[in-house]
Amino acid sequence: MLAPEGAERHGRMLSRSRERLMRLEARLSVSNDQQKIQEDDAFTEDEIQTLTAEARGWCTLGRMRSARGAVCDAADAHEKFHELARVCGDKALEREARVCLGLARGAARVE
C-alpha cells in the first residue's frame, strides 16, 4: 500500500485520467474511433484494485485518527477516502465513503 501522500497523488492522477475520458466521450459521437479512445484511456483492473486499496487505507487512517480523538484529521482522511472512492467507480465504496465522511465532519463540528 502506498503512503497517504502517494495515494493522494495517485488518486489525483487517476481522477484526471477519468475526467479526460469523460470529456472525450462527450465530444465524440459513437464510432470506432471512440471505442479505440475508450480502450486506450480506460483504467486497467490492476489500477482499480490499487485505487480501491488506497481508498480503504485512507478510511482506516480516518478511523484510527477518530479513535485517538483527532477528529479534524480524521475528517481530512475521510475526505481523501471519498475522493478516491469516487474515482474508482465502485458505487458501494462511494456510499461507504460518503457515510464515513458525513460522520467525521459531524464529529469535527461538534468539537
Side-chain angles (χ1 to χ4, degrees), residues 13-28:
M13 180 185 67
L14 292 176
S15 178
R16 281 188 231 125
S17 297
R18 184 170 286 260
E19 288 173 7
R20 186 181 72 213
L21 175 63
M22 290 169 60
R23 284 193 307 267
L24 285 172
E25 287 175 349
R27 285 189 294 172
L28 298 173

Side-chain angles (χ1 to χ4, degrees), residues 4-5 58-78 80:
E5 296 82 17
W58 277 105
C59 179
T60 302
L61 180 64
R63 289 180 180 165
M64 288 171 41
R65 287 178 174 173
S66 180
R68 291 184 177 182
V71 291
C72 291
D73 293 336
D76 291 339
H78 283 295
K80 292 179 183 180

